[in-house]
Amino acid sequence: MALEQDTVKYPIAALVVVFTIIRLLIASLINLGNDEVYYFTYAVLPDWNHFDHPPLVGIFIRLFTFNLHSNSEVFVRMPGIVAAAVNTWLIAYCGSLVKNRNTGIIAAVLYNSSVYTSILSGIFILPDSVQLTFWLAALYAMLRCIKATGLAGIRRYLLLTGLLIGLATMSKVHGVFLWAGFLGFIAVDHRGLFKSPYLYVSLAITALLVSPILFWNIGNDFITWRFHSERVTVTGAGINLKSFFGTTIGQILYANPFQVAIFILAGRELVRKKVFADAASVALLLWCSLPIIGCTMLVSLFRDTLPHWSGPGFIGLMLIGAAWADGVILPTISNLPRKLLIGSVGLILFVFTVGPILIRCYPGTMSSAPFPRTGAGDATLDITGWEQLLPAFEKLRNDDVANGRMQRNAPMVVHKWFPGSHIYYHVAYPLGMRTVGVGKLEDLHQFAWLNAIYGQVAAGSDAWYITPSNNFTDPAVQFAGQFERFEKAGTITQRRNGHAARHWYIYRLKNAQQNLNNPISHPSSLSSLSSPSSYFPN
């Protein structure tokens, strides 16, 4: 590797060890979030693609939970935690190619002090958690390719680029922006590469790797395309400034405001034509960064977006910012770049410390919503307190079974992926209960496919339904006409620091009026990877 191991190994190793310990601790202290419990369903039912995203996040969850034998929060999140450690080394290697070993160290510090890369993708398990490793590895391969002096090196890294971009795209479709950036860079700066057949073989490798997304969508009425197009297609509603400013502020917060200041200062030097790093490397990084950031901001002008969509684009800016900071940081705390770097680390350590304390120890709820919607709008409840639900529900269920009010094989019913995924992960899956999705496909998402294995609520049978007060849905309204009657079986109260934070309302849905579920006519193409036992706890 280009990085000089004897001088860089120890600071990078220290970063990896310290931040990995922090991530493991936080991962064990807070529950899985809304998206995380949803991606657990990907691991239960592997497929060539899923309603929302490609399959790699689910496959990695399955690997790191030892084929779903260890399903605690830490093991479910382990792919992201391990990836963050690997990515610290990868960005250091990339930094050494862009400028020198010190740039690599600074880039590694920036990576671990970004909210997006260190927390959202470094602790939580999202498609981004897996994608960032392949994204960074692809950047490394591109940098090596444009720096290679021999044909063998150019060809090798071109092929490796295609492989890694394919894997990045099979984690999240945003990976295609890497090819857009690389081809744009080649068209402007390295046109000679268009003469290499290896470039087209590399493109073919990516196409082959991502082809399961296309074939799965052909068999499922292009549902992924239709779902995402509805999220990003411009409508005639006019400019949405609220969405634009929300996305912009979100991007700044996720990137870390101190880092954004570094990016702006580095950009100012680039505009002034000042050279502080290898020009070709900087150009390549800009091509692989600005398009995805710009597209996210453009779409936000017309539709609601999520700030982390552009997250991978900030990786290149970290490397450019690190290269600039390396040339101007002085061994004195009064130096502005040094202050910004210290501020970036200080902010992430503050979040690491205050976040879990607030989430676990805040008395009751931050919401002022009255009963029965206690906790509505309190985002911290998404990731704390769920462990209180299982034992209380299990006792209630056992009592009802013993008293003949419910059958032991009565399934759990969900009508939407959220909070249905929480009910599935925290209650139904551990208890070995069938979970049946009853509702619209655009609400159920993956649960419509899970119906292929969990079956239906048979006509004349009963089912369970749990709705949290912070996301309350009245089953008598939601399932009107689908059951004969709705009986409230009990209320389970979550307490935080001695105060009521949320309630879970437990219902018996009695006497289904017909067979109920929303089956998908194309069951999992990877069903051979999942024995029936994997649909229930081991």
Side-chain angles (χ1 to χ4, degrees):
M1 292 289 187
L3 198 62
E4 296 183 23
Q5 301 287 344
D6 57 332
T7 56
V8 177
K9 177 170 60 176
Y10 297 112
I12 299 301
L15 275 174
V16 169
V17 170
V18 170
F19 278 92
T20 298
I21 291 173
I22 292 173
R23 291 186 182 103
L24 286 170
L25 179 61
I26 294 175
S28 67
L29 289 175
I30 60 177
N31 294 152
L32 298 180
N34 300 337
D35 292 335
E36 295 179 284
V37 285
Y38 177 67
Y39 297 130
F40 178 76
T41 67
Y42 285 20
V44 172
L45 186 64
D47 208 340
W48 295 108
N49 189 58
H50 297 284
F51 179 90
D52 329 69
H53 292 293
L56 283 191
V57 63
I59 292 172
F60 275 92
I61 291 173
R62 197 173 182 104
L63 289 173
F64 279 86
T65 56
F66 304 102
N67 202 31
L68 301 180
H69 282 76
S70 300
N71 297 322
S72 69
E73 282 88 349
V74 171
F75 283 99
V76 173
R77 287 171 167 153
M78 196 62 72
I81 295 170
V82 172
V86 172
N87 295 348
T88 301
W89 289 99
L90 281 173
I91 200 166
Y93 289 139
C94 290
S96 71
L97 291 174
V98 173
K99 189 174 183 181
N100 57 35
R101 58 185 178 271
N102 291 329
T103 296
I105 295 173
I106 295 171
V109 171
L110 293 175
Y111 186 92
N112 282 279
S113 58
S114 159
V115 175
Y116 170 71
T117 53
S118 196
I119 297 178
L120 265 67
S121 301
I123 296 177
F124 302 147
I125 181 63
L126 305 173
D128 309 60
S129 310
V130 177
Q131 183 189 57
L132 286 184
T133 299
F134 298 121
W135 187 287
L136 265 165
L139 285 180
Y140 178 81
M142 291 183 223
L143 288 167
R144 290 299 298 262
C145 178
I146 66 173
K147 285 178 170 289
T149 56
L151 280 178
I154 294 173
R155 292 168 177 172
R156 179 168 61 252
Y157 286 110
L158 275 176
L159 296 179
L160 185 59
T161 296
L163 172 67
L164 293 168
I165 294 178
L167 292 171
T169 307
M170 284 298 284
S171 304
K172 195 173 183 178
V173 293
H174 299 58
V176 298
F177 276 97
L178 284 169
W179 264 124
F182 194 32
L183 291 174
F185 167 78
I186 291 172
V188 173
D189 215 275
H190 270 59
R191 291 191 185 93
L193 285 178
F194 283 127
K195 299 178 181 179
S196 173
Y198 286 82
L199 174 64
Y200 305 100
V201 174
S202 182
L203 283 162
I205 291 172
T206 298
L208 179 64
L209 283 172
V210 304
S211 61
I213 299 175
L214 173 62
F215 292 125
W216 184 92
N217 272 280
I218 290 174
N220 288 275
D221 197 25
F222 287 93
I223 188 63
T224 303
W225 265 261
R226 291 192 288 115
F227 168 66
H228 286 296
S229 66
E230 289 174 3
R231 302 175 81 187
V232 301
T233 301
V234 175
T235 66
I239 301 296
N240 187 343
L241 291 179
K242 180 180 178 181
S243 171
F244 175 76
F245 287 116
T247 297
T248 302
I249 293 170
Q251 288 176 321
I252 293 171
L253 294 176
Y254 282 178
N256 189 319
F258 292 99
Q259 291 195 30
V260 173
I262 291 175
F263 304 156
I264 292 172
L265 292 172
R268 184 182 64 179
E269 297 303 293
L270 290 175
V271 171
R272 293 175 176 177
K273 307 295 184 182
K274 292 187 177 181
V275 178
F276 53 80
D278 175 65
S281 297
V282 170
L284 173 62
L285 293 173
L286 289 173
W287 273 103
C288 292
S289 297
L290 298 183
I292 188 171
I293 296 173
C295 282
T296 301
M297 296 180 71
L298 178 63
V299 171
S300 73
L301 280 170
F302 306 97
R303 300 294 294 264
D304 290 336
T305 58
L306 296 174
H308 74 278
W309 290 359
S310 62
F314 286 89
I315 300 293
L317 300 188
M318 287 181 193
L319 288 162
I320 295 171
W324 169 78
D326 172 59
V328 295
I329 282 183
L330 301 174
T332 170
I333 199 166
S334 62
N335 179 255
L336 177 59
R338 189 178 184 87
K339 282 184 176 181
L340 292 173
L341 195 60
I342 293 172
S344 180
V345 174
L347 179 59
I348 203 69
L349 292 178
F350 175 81
V351 174
F352 278 148
T353 304
V354 175
I357 293 175
L358 185 67
I359 290 166
R360 288 183 62 88
C361 301
Y362 187 89
T365 175
M366 301 177 192
S367 168
S368 59
F371 183 89
R373 300 184 182 276
T374 307
D378 185 349
T380 66
L381 295 178
D382 296 338
I383 49 179
T384 190
W386 286 96
E387 70 280 354
Q388 299 177 33
L389 175 59
L390 175 59
F393 173 77
E394 186 175 18
K395 181 180 184 304
L396 186 154
R397 175 175 177 249
N398 288 340
D399 289 345
D400 271 11
V401 170
N403 294 327
R405 286 190 288 264
M406 293 289 283
Q407 296 294 315
R408 182 160 293 278
N409 64 353
M412 183 72 70
V413 166
V414 299
H415 76 280
K416 196 171 184 177
W417 72 271
F418 166 73
S421 300
H422 276 293
I423 304 303
Y424 178 70
Y425 174 80
H426 291 288
V427 178
Y429 189 83
L431 292 178
M433 297 176 66
R434 294 188 303 116
T435 303
V436 181
V438 179
K440 300 176 182 178
L441 176 59
E442 57 266 32
D443 290 334
L444 291 172
H445 292 207
Q446 175 77 351
F447 284 97
W449 279 261
L450 286 173
N451 282 344
I453 57 174
Y454 287 129
Q456 60 189 0
V457 181
S461 66
D462 305 329
W464 292 98
Y465 179 73
I466 301 176
T467 180
S469 60
N470 62 320
N471 197 60
F472 178 75
T473 299
D474 187 345
V477 175
Q478 180 64 39
F479 304 111
Q482 296 177 299
F483 291 89
E484 181 183 357
R485 65 186 185 277
F486 305 88
E487 300 175 354
K488 191 172 183 180
T491 299
I492 298 170
T493 299
Q494 173 193 339
R495 295 190 176 277
R496 179 164 58 178
N497 204 3
H499 298 265
R502 163 174 53 190
H503 307 288
W504 290 287
Y505 307 120
I506 316 300
Y507 290 90
R508 308 181 197 99
L509 311 186
K510 305 294 287 187
N511 191 18
Q513 300 299 285
Q514 59 186 3
N515 293 335
L516 298 175
N517 76 352
N518 290 71
I520 294 297
S521 58
H522 305 277
S524 173
S525 300
L526 293 182
S527 56
S528 60
L529 298 182
S530 303
S531 64
S533 63
S534 70
Y535 309 142
F536 301 98
N538 294 283

